Amino acid sequence: MACMMAIVAEAQKREMRGAWIQCVNGQFQGMGKQRMQQTLTYQLDELKKDGVNVVIFQVRPECDALYESMIEPWSRFLTGTQGVAPSPYWDPLKWMVDECHKRGMELHAWINPYRAKTKGTKQLAASHIAVSKPMNCFAYDGMFLLNPGIPENRGYICAVVKDIVSRYDIDGLHMDDYFYPYPVKGESIPDDELFRERSNGIKNQGDWRRYNVNLFIEQVYKTVHQTKPWVKVGISPFGIYRNRSTSYVGSNTSGTQNYDDLYADVLMWVNNGWLDYCVPQIYWEIGNKAADYETLIKWWNQYASARPLIIGEDVERTARARDLKNPHVHQQAAKMALHRQMPNVQGTVLWYAKAAVDNIGNYGGNLRNVYWKYPALQPSMPFIDNRPPKKVRKMKPVWTKDGYVLFWTAPKGNNWNDKAEKYVVYRFRKGEYQDYNNPANIIAITQQPFIKLPYEKGSQKWVYAVTALDRLQNESKAVKKKVSL
């Protein structure tokens, strides 16, 4: 218990606390509007209690859509048949944006950029890209993929991205680890002829494939920020960049490599600023012989600090693995301790949301009662915007028919980078040191310009302080008010 209390005391005021909600596993397929909304409502409510502040929702698993698109067909992972609209009609992405924002969470729309057909899909809609332009795709291990070597495909995916970003009030655009396909024994990527025709003077085929993906990542990043500068671009690559046996900068691991096998040069994207946060999927346990968790979190902390580093965490695997020093408990506490020790780690994303909601191994309970007990703001992103909004105005406690309420007025601001989007409410005892860096002093992060005060007898004296947050959660100076409760 003393160890857990120490971790609470070390809680971070700024920390991305995310969870992936996937559709590609078929959990929503054919469920219908009412049941899917009920399921998602329950998950969001539980995630909110767990302290989650970002939901990453899969909306494009195979060049299809869990939203209203004029470019791509409705997903079979929603309705059961690709190209068939939901009935009764609804738009899951719009609904999720609204529901997450009501709970003070960010919503990041998760797309799989190149994958055009998963193994289990038997029939494609007539409007699907693999049907209308089959030469733009290649087959691999039962899947279809948009060929990264064809420039038209980059433009096509970026048109889809622009459509999502422009029409939905999302907070982030997220891509996972599927670029070129994971290598399968006996399979080869059928792009030799394309390489000969469009090598751009690059002599090595691996370098050419990385070049193709690099061009795409840069184009997506520019597309998003030219459309809406405040929408964050996040990528969650496979957990190993390179093995030390391959490169002197690699980790002491022996597994599939981003750079060599998926042609994903993640460090180039980080160091060139082609993403706003990076979430390596370090799904293994501490002590894994091929890919030790501790080795990998230290490696990413050392090499990928040019953009906010968030750790992708496997809930089930963590809850199954025994702590190396205390086999009576699982590895959640040990992993969280490593997070706190890494100066460049600024959060966690949970794979996957339902595993946390189901509270496997009391994982979710530990989040809400210990590790994520207090609210947290998002990591700063000064490379997008670092100017805070102005202070709130006209703050005053007022008696109403609903009780004692502290009201304030939004600061003046006209643009996305100076308007107040949310407010942080702090509370201090009279005479207490007013530490605004300690999240234990935060009682609410709210979109509303008021908060109900817990009035009892008026015998306790408190200081309430309110700050304004803009879209990037830059924080204004505080305005204070003494109240007796």
Side-chain angles (χ1 to χ4, degrees):
M1 181 60 72
C3 177
M4 286 193 171
M5 292 305 295
I7 292 171
V8 171
E10 296 167 9
Q12 305 298 303
K13 178 180 173 179
R14 290 187 177 270
E15 186 173 45
M16 182 183 287
R17 301 170 176 175
W20 282 291
I21 296 181
Q22 83 276 41
C23 69
V24 76
N25 66 340
Q27 66 172 321
F28 306 124
Q29 188 168 315
M31 186 179 275
K33 176 181 178 180
Q34 184 176 3
R35 279 185 58 214
M36 185 169 169
Q37 288 186 355
Q38 287 173 345
T39 300
L40 286 169
T41 295
Y42 174 72
Q43 289 189 8
L44 293 177
D45 286 345
E46 293 301 300
L47 292 172
K48 173 69 174 175
K49 294 174 190 174
D50 288 345
V52 167
N53 58 20
V54 174
V55 169
I56 302 175
F57 181 54
Q58 189 175 27
V59 299
R60 185 184 182 265
E62 48 179 4
C63 292
D64 54 358
L66 273 83
Y67 61 96
E68 185 180 279
S69 173
M70 298 299 290
I71 302 173
E72 296 185 314
W74 284 101
S75 176
R76 78 170 178 90
F77 293 109
L78 177 64
T79 66
T81 303
Q82 191 178 90
V84 173
S87 180
Y89 185 84
W90 69 301
D91 186 325
L93 177 54
K94 183 181 186 307
W95 187 86
M96 282 290 285
V97 168
D98 293 341
E99 292 298 311
C100 286
H101 287 177
K102 272 197 288 188
R103 292 166 175 80
M105 299 170 166
E106 290 193 351
L107 188 285
H108 293 206
W110 162 18
I111 70 166
N112 302 89
Y114 292 116
R115 188 171 62 201
K117 184 186 85 67
T118 57
K119 287 185 182 182
T121 297
K122 305 302 180 186
Q123 185 175 357
L124 298 173
S127 60
H128 191 274
I129 185 71
V131 175
S132 62
K133 294 192 175 181
M135 299 305 292
N136 282 23
C137 304
F138 64 79
Y140 188 92
D141 191 36
M143 300 183 294
F144 291 162
L145 296 103
L146 294 176
N147 195 327
I150 299 176
E152 182 184 352
N153 286 338
R154 293 196 295 271
Y156 173 77
I157 301 167
C158 286
V160 171
V161 166
K162 184 177 180 66
D163 180 56
I164 294 171
V165 173
S166 62
R167 292 196 296 116
Y168 293 89
D169 188 23
I170 61 173
D171 303 285
L173 189 285
H174 187 87
M175 293 179 286
D176 59 13
D177 51 323
Y178 293 101
F179 299 102
Y180 277 89
Y182 277 80
V184 174
K185 189 175 182 180
E187 295 264 354
S188 59
I189 298 170
D191 63 355
D192 291 352
E193 184 178 347
L194 191 65
F195 171 55
R196 287 191 293 269
E197 292 174 354
R198 300 185 179 185
S199 66
N200 296 300
I202 300 170
K203 301 193 182 308
N204 179 278
Q205 194 167 8
D207 289 341
W208 174 73
R209 289 172 179 167
R210 279 183 287 274
Y211 169 76
N212 294 330
V213 180
N214 290 342
L215 287 176
F216 166 70
I217 297 297
E218 183 181 18
Q219 188 173 341
V220 167
Y221 188 80
K222 289 179 178 178
T223 297
V224 171
H225 284 287
Q226 287 167 0
T227 307
K228 286 181 180 174
W230 62 87
V231 172
K232 305 163 187 174
V233 177
I235 297 178
S236 53
F238 185 68
I240 299 172
Y241 175 68
R242 303 188 84 181
N243 299 312
R244 188 170 295 168
S245 60
T246 306
S247 169
Y248 71 94
V249 298
S251 53
N252 187 20
T253 51
S254 56
T256 301
Q257 304 168 99
N258 275 292
Y259 185 92
D260 304 86
D261 301 317
L262 305 178
Y263 306 100
D265 191 352
V266 183
L267 289 192
M268 173 178 276
W269 310 341
V270 169
N271 291 327
N272 284 1
W274 294 343
L275 44 75
D276 298 314
Y277 66 92
C278 181
V279 193
Q281 299 172 21
I282 311 180
Y283 288 169
W284 302 274
E285 66 275 11
I286 300 170
N288 184 284
K289 291 182 180 179
D292 171 51
Y293 181 96
E294 183 171 354
T295 296
L296 283 166
I297 195 172
K298 289 179 177 178
W299 187 92
W300 286 98
N301 177 73
Q302 179 178 353
Y303 288 98
S305 62
R307 284 292 185 264
L309 174 62
I310 320 297
I311 303 302
E313 204 73 73
D314 187 315
V315 173
E316 289 186 357
R317 196 160 184 167
T318 300
R320 286 198 309 263
R322 298 293 92 192
D323 187 279
L324 299 186
K325 297 178 181 178
N326 180 6
H328 298 293
V329 299
H330 57 59
Q331 291 192 355
Q332 184 182 16
K335 287 185 174 182
M336 285 295 187
L338 283 170
H339 280 230
R340 295 290 186 257
Q341 293 166 20
M342 301 296 115
N344 296 316
V345 170
Q346 299 185 50
T348 308
V349 178
L350 307 174
W351 175 256
Y352 47 101
K354 187 176 183 298
V357 169
D358 290 346
N359 200 24
I360 296 171
N362 198 37
Y363 193 102
N366 290 334
L367 290 178
R368 70 180 65 182
N369 296 318
V370 183
Y371 306 109
W372 294 352
K373 181 178 181 179
Y374 303 113
L377 282 64
Q378 295 299 328
S380 297
M381 295 188 176
F383 43 87
I384 300 177
D385 173 45
N386 64 355
R387 289 186 60 186
K390 295 179 180 178
K391 296 187 293 186
V392 302
R393 301 174 295 152
K394 302 176 183 177
M395 194 159 84
K396 184 178 181 181
V398 177
W399 281 103
T400 73
K401 64 179 181 179
D402 296 320
Y404 204 26
V405 179
L406 182 65
F407 288 96
W408 58 87
T409 301
K412 292 181 179 179
N414 299 314
N415 302 312
W416 70 267
N417 56 352
D418 61 10
K419 287 175 65 176
E421 290 289 325
K422 294 180 182 177
Y423 305 95
V424 186
V425 182
Y426 301 83
R427 186 171 76 164
F428 307 96
R429 292 185 180 276
K430 182 184 177 183
E432 177 187 1
Y433 170 66
Q434 295 173 10
D435 184 358
Y436 292 94
N437 291 317
N438 183 354
N441 294 322
I442 298 174
I443 62 167
I445 300 174
T446 177
Q447 292 179 303
Q448 304 298 330
F450 59 85
I451 189 167
K452 186 174 180 180
L453 299 172
Y455 183 84
E456 289 186 8
K457 299 177 182 178
S459 57
Q460 293 285 333
K461 294 185 177 180
W462 299 88
V463 175
Y464 275 74
V466 176
T467 60
L469 302 176
D470 63 17
R471 296 253 8 183
L472 271 295
Q473 299 207 352
N474 294 302
E475 188 175 21
S476 76
K477 293 181 178 178
V479 175
K480 305 173 189 177
K481 182 65 65 173
K482 295 179 181 179
V483 293
S484 295
L485 302 176

